[in-house]
Amino acid sequence: MKRWIVFFAILALFSTFFINCEDETVEPEPEDNSEWLRIGESILPGIMDIEIVEGDVAWIVGMDGFMAKTSNRGVDWDTLSLTGLWETLFDIDFTSSKAWICGQQGVLLKSENGGDDWEQVYIPDFYHYDSTVVDSTILESFEIIDTNNIIFNTNSYSYTVIDTSLVEFEDIDLYDIEFSDANNGFIAASRGIIYRTSDGGETWRGGYAKDSVDYDLYTYSVICTTLVFIDVDSLGADTTYFEVVFNDTNFYTIYTVDNSALFGACYWTNDNWWVVGFDRTLLYSSNMGNNWHRKHEMAEESQLNDILFVNEMEGWAVGEGGMILKTVDGGETWSAVTGHDCRQNLNEIRFFTGDEIGWCAGDDRAVLYTGDGGATWERQYSDLEANFNSIGIVTDESAERWLVGYRPSARVGTILYTEDDGEEWDIQSYGIRRSLASVFFLDELNGWVVGSDGVCCQSTDGGQTWVHQNSQTTNYINSVYFHDTNNGWIAGNDGIFRKTTDGGFHWVTIDVGTGSRLYKIAFPTAEVGYIVGEDGVILKSADGGDSWTALTIPSEISDVYFRDLFFVTENEGWVCGDNGTVIHTINGGDSWTPQESNTITNLLGIHFISATEGWVVGGIDGGVSRVHHTVDGGENWVYQSTGESIWWSDVFFTDANNGWVTGLYGKIYHTSDGGESWHMQVGEASGNLSEIYFANSNPDYGWAVGSNGVILKYYPEE
């Protein structure tokens, strides 16, 4: 958190002492009719899955690498950003000792401390040979020439496999992850691939799930550890297929079956596993995934999205077109459930409370409910245009449930919550709960806010709603600046700096050459930018932020914490900081001239409306809040009284007369005469305010941000 916020908390204790020492107390004028109103419904990315860990604790994952956790049943959701993670996350699963998340392009994350920290897990790539090989004759020997050539010798003839391709883990989408116990788990993936582990996820193997029967296991030398015959007569093929494992790491599979994506997985016992997917796929394994058998024939191109067994004999599967399948004989036979009018795709099915109460969640507002064990299904919620992907339950004993998904037209996440088994579903609000350090608006509509724990949000409607962006960091972000709707920059603690060229959808990490805390960014042009920070850091970029150079400052202030900066051109600007420091440059930072600010307090905010006139604000000095004004470019700074004895964190003027200051206790003061007099517009805003900003210096479009996710918008007097 910004160091000056710490000062707020400390110096607030002294404010009651100093207030009686004021030598120029000015009574605040009555409030005018202008208003600062709290705004900011936070919008989530699309949500793909919810996992209830225990009664109060739940996790959600979704698009753009989105992850969030609640510890109070959804009253607050804490987001988590991981560096380099943009992909959609499809599923999250908690075992007794670990947590797992899987997603697009081979994303597999593991946590061993309840989700506090996550690490990427990588699974070895494997080869497959896309060729029909020998018929069911006796295999006598084989010789591996290289990855493109294997010679199989049978009692009839020899056959050389020459068609091979590498299945790279990062090209495979991972849709569902399940663990039957602490050691045995599997992942249903795209292209008909299943990944399996038997050691708690320490190692994984991938291969294609195929209808199969057991044949003898052959073992040859150290080069090839296993060779398995796989019969696929049920697919209409009259050939034998080989699956070869080399060195226990890479799978080499010879096959001709289709590459149907696998979307859902479940288990009943450690041995009995099921997967479902595209193109009529419903597969069963009775030996933890070593062999798979097709269990049901459906209409051509039918897709199943989820499967669930409520006991050893009774199971359910759901899919496209409102399809609901049921088995009562352990999956030997499946029958379609009719009697409901749902024709939307169904994405998940869950049963609770003695297997009697259940829901199906699906696309286009589809929510089906049963209270009689699935004998009948009825629609429950249809008011919100959303695709629902997952269902969560708080406890079996309660009637509290969650539905999560997204609005497809805008990829906006949706969280619904019920306390009465779905009689009424409420949209669960998701306000920005993090402390906000900086706000920037390009115009009356397009803006960004940043703050603690890497929070970064964008608004395209003037701040009424906010979409979370993945900042690629969990550090405190202290500043945000945009040149246009595409090109922007953020900076924060530990020297973190990110650049975007697509409006914040992707943020690229750039090394600025320091690990110091960075407080403020300014780009007077699209190419020329400056950053200031702790320990006398002033950096300059001449290429749009792609590279940075440290600027030389006077040695007597080399360890000063620089808090803010303002440039009126690419060459002329001012920097303010601790101990009353103000320095000025007219040559792009090649040299700096210290200025006498007439205060020794820390200066936190600075703003200029021209090369001659500006204001600087900060802490308490002589018992009064400090606002200083210059009309000669900083040659002379003159104190202006606001009648307060609190820390001011920021100042903004839209012209020579109209300006605002904000700071401790969420107060905002306004002047209409250049700072000669001030009156209070906001007396309290549920926390300290850190920054105030007016888009294009237009007095009609102002915003202020601060602690507890506070976002205020200015509504001028009519």
Side-chain angles (χ1 to χ4, degrees):
M1 184 177 290
K2 281 188 172 182
R3 189 175 176 182
W4 52 261
I5 294 180
V6 175
F7 282 129
F8 283 171
I10 297 173
L11 292 175
L13 300 175
F14 294 95
S15 62
T16 54
F17 170 79
F18 284 120
I19 197 165
N20 294 323
C21 302
E22 289 187 38
D23 55 359
E24 294 185 63
T25 302
V26 177
E27 292 297 326
E29 297 178 10
E31 298 181 41
D32 63 19
N33 292 321
S34 300
E35 290 185 291
W36 289 84
L37 300 180
R38 185 163 186 174
I39 60 171
E41 174 194 355
S42 180
I43 295 179
L44 305 173
I47 305 171
M48 306 306 293
D49 191 33
I50 184 169
E51 174 83 357
I52 312 300
V53 181
E54 55 186 6
D56 294 334
V57 180
W59 284 78
I60 51 178
V61 296
M63 298 176 181
D64 306 329
F66 175 72
M67 306 163 58
K69 174 187 177 182
T70 181
S71 299
N72 52 15
R73 302 197 182 192
V75 176
D76 302 298
W77 292 89
D78 298 328
T79 59
L80 179 64
S81 296
L82 298 183
T83 301
L85 184 63
W86 317 103
E87 294 81 5
T88 294
L89 305 177
F90 291 117
D91 190 46
I92 180 170
D93 183 69
F94 275 75
T95 65
S96 58
S97 59
K98 298 175 184 177
W100 297 87
I101 295 174
C102 63
Q104 278 182 321
Q105 298 178 6
V107 169
L108 182 60
L109 305 175
K110 178 180 70 172
S111 174
E112 299 190 66
N113 57 7
D116 291 339
D117 300 289
W118 295 86
E119 63 177 288
Q120 179 90 39
V121 176
Y122 297 95
I123 298 177
D125 303 330
F126 65 92
Y127 286 90
H128 72 260
Y129 295 89
D130 192 3
S131 295
T132 301
V133 289
V134 298
D135 58 14
S136 300
T137 55
I138 298 174
L139 180 70
E140 295 180 340
S141 66
F142 66 90
E143 180 182 0
I144 303 166
I145 308 301
D146 53 38
T147 57
N148 291 313
N149 293 277
I150 299 180
I151 299 175
F152 295 91
N153 299 308
T154 72
N155 60 347
S156 299
Y157 54 82
S158 297
Y159 187 92
T160 302
V161 178
I162 58 174
D163 295 328
T164 184
S165 61
L166 177 65
V167 178
E168 297 184 88
F169 179 58
E170 63 182 17
D171 293 336
I172 304 302
D173 293 336
L174 311 178
Y175 294 119
D176 194 8
I177 183 168
E178 297 286 344
F179 274 78
S180 56
D181 56 31
N183 293 317
N184 294 287
F186 59 111
I187 302 170
S190 59
R191 296 169 59 177
I193 293 172
I194 291 179
Y195 293 95
R196 184 165 66 91
T197 181
S198 58
D199 56 13
E202 293 300 315
T203 59
W204 293 81
R205 286 180 173 177
Y208 286 85
K210 297 171 289 294
D211 295 333
S212 63
V213 296
D214 295 329
Y215 277 77
D216 291 335
L217 184 66
Y218 293 81
T219 301
Y220 294 89
S221 73
V222 295
I223 299 176
C224 173
T225 59
T226 60
L227 176 66
V228 181
F229 290 97
I230 301 172
D231 188 353
V232 289
D233 288 341
S234 59
L235 292 182
D238 193 19
T239 56
T240 299
Y241 295 76
F242 294 91
E243 183 174 87
V244 187
V245 185
F246 293 94
N247 299 326
D248 290 322
T249 56
N250 293 326
F251 276 70
Y252 295 75
T253 306
I254 305 163
Y255 74 105
T256 57
V257 298
D258 56 65
N259 297 350
S260 300
L262 303 174
F263 299 116
C266 77
Y267 65 90
W268 175 245
T269 67
N270 287 352
D271 294 330
N272 298 311
W273 293 357
W274 293 83
V275 294
V276 296
F278 182 71
D279 192 15
R280 305 168 295 162
T281 302
L282 198 160
L283 300 177
Y284 166 71
S285 173
S286 60
N287 55 10
M288 293 190 296
N290 287 307
N291 302 103
W292 294 89
H293 309 268
R294 188 181 297 279
K295 279 297 184 180
H296 185 66
E297 290 294 330
M298 296 172 289
E300 188 71 24
E301 301 299 325
S302 296
Q303 175 177 313
L304 290 173
N305 296 321
D306 193 31
I307 184 168
L308 170 73
F309 271 76
V310 297
N311 56 53
E312 187 174 2
M313 302 305 292
E314 183 178 340
W316 299 82
V318 295
E320 68 177 0
M323 181 187 302
I324 303 177
L325 300 179
K326 181 181 180 181
T327 180
V328 293
D329 55 11
E332 289 299 320
T333 60
W334 294 79
S335 59
V337 176
T338 58
H340 62 84
D341 63 354
C342 180
R343 298 297 177 263
Q344 289 82 13
N345 295 336
L346 297 177
N347 299 316
E348 186 167 282
I349 183 169
R350 288 291 179 267
F351 274 86
F352 312 115
T353 315
D355 306 333
E356 291 297 313
I357 297 177
W359 283 267
C360 296
D363 293 350
D364 193 18
R365 315 179 189 186
V367 180
L368 300 182
Y369 167 81
T370 180
D372 54 14
T376 59
W377 295 86
E378 62 184 45
R379 287 184 178 269
Q380 233 183 18
Y381 185 89
S382 59
D383 294 341
L384 183 66
E385 181 183 354
N387 292 345
F388 297 115
N389 294 318
S390 187
I391 310 160
I393 178 175
V394 177
T395 65
D396 265 338
E397 294 74 24
S398 75
E400 298 169 87
R401 317 281 184 250
W402 270 297
L403 274 173
V404 297
Y406 66 99
R407 284 170 267 177
S409 59
R411 290 166 51 93
V412 170
T414 297
I415 303 176
L416 301 183
Y417 183 74
T418 180
E419 295 181 327
D420 54 13
D421 269 337
E423 291 294 327
E424 294 183 6
W425 290 92
D426 297 320
I427 299 176
Q428 196 165 59
S429 63
Y430 182 89
I432 302 172
R433 307 299 181 185
R434 293 294 187 255
S435 292
L436 299 177
S438 183
V439 55
F440 188 93
F441 269 80
L442 288 166
D443 49 42
E444 67 271 24
L445 297 177
N446 297 286
W448 289 261
V449 294
V450 296
S452 63
D453 297 309
V455 67
C456 178
C457 299
Q458 179 195 22
S459 177
T460 57
D461 58 9
Q464 296 301 322
T465 58
W466 296 87
V467 176
H468 281 255
Q469 295 183 329
N470 190 338
S471 66
Q472 300 291 291
T473 182
T474 56
N475 276 342
Y476 204 113
I477 305 176
N478 296 314
S479 184
V480 57
Y481 197 99
F482 270 75
H483 177 72
D484 53 43
T485 54
N486 291 318
N487 297 285
W489 307 265
I490 56 177
N493 292 358
D494 299 328
I496 69 108
F497 181 80
R498 307 284 188 268
K499 176 182 178 179
T500 181
T501 57
D502 57 13
F505 185 73
H506 294 97
W507 291 94
V508 178
T509 300
I510 294 176
D511 184 2
V512 297
T514 180
S516 297
R517 186 175 304 173
L518 305 177
Y519 284 121
K520 231 28 161 244
I521 310 169
F523 271 80
T525 71
E527 298 298 320
V528 177
Y530 299 86
I531 306 174
V532 297
E534 65 183 1
D535 300 324
V537 168
I538 303 180
L539 307 174
K540 180 180 180 179
S541 174
D543 56 10
D546 291 335
S547 62
W548 293 84
T549 302
L551 300 179
T552 302
I553 60 173
S555 58
E556 64 269 24
I557 56 172
S558 61
D559 60 348
V560 167
Y561 281 29
F562 292 127
R563 307 290 185 167
D564 199 9
L565 74 167
F566 196 95
F567 276 75
V568 291
T569 69
E570 66 179 77
N571 292 316
E572 184 172 12
W574 293 259
V575 172
C576 68
D578 291 359
N579 306 319
T581 301
V582 178
I583 57 177
H584 175 225
T585 183
I586 58 173
N587 54 18
D590 290 341
S591 61
W592 295 87
T593 302
Q595 296 182 335
E596 179 55 58
S597 65
N598 292 316
T599 181
I600 60 171
T601 191
N602 295 344
L603 298 175
L604 307 178
I606 191 167
H607 189 89
F608 275 76
I609 60 170
S610 68
T612 57
E613 188 168 13
W615 290 259
V616 65
V617 300
I620 300 170
D621 186 6
V624 293
S625 301
R626 286 293 161 174
V627 177
H628 287 226
H629 175 222
T630 182
V631 292
D632 53 15
E635 292 294 325
N636 296 280
W637 289 92
V638 178
Y639 167 70
Q640 293 180 326
S641 176
T642 59
E644 280 284 1
S645 184
I646 62 172
W647 281 65
W648 296 122
S649 60
D650 199 23
V651 58
F652 199 104
F653 273 73
T654 57
D655 55 43
N657 294 317
N658 290 284
W660 291 260
V661 292
T662 189
L664 198 65
Y665 308 130
K667 291 187 176 183
I668 299 178
Y669 272 60
H670 172 249
T671 180
S672 58
D673 55 15
E676 293 299 318
S677 62
W678 296 82
H679 63 272
M680 184 170 61
Q681 285 188 331
V682 178
E684 183 178 352
S686 301
N688 303 323
L689 294 176
S690 55
E691 190 167 278
I692 191 167
Y693 192 84
F694 284 78
N696 296 317
S697 295
N698 188 323
D700 292 335
Y701 305 118
W703 296 263
V705 298
S707 58
N708 302 315
V710 169
I711 303 176
L712 302 180
K713 185 174 182 179
Y714 183 59
Y715 293 87
E717 184 177 6
E718 295 293 336

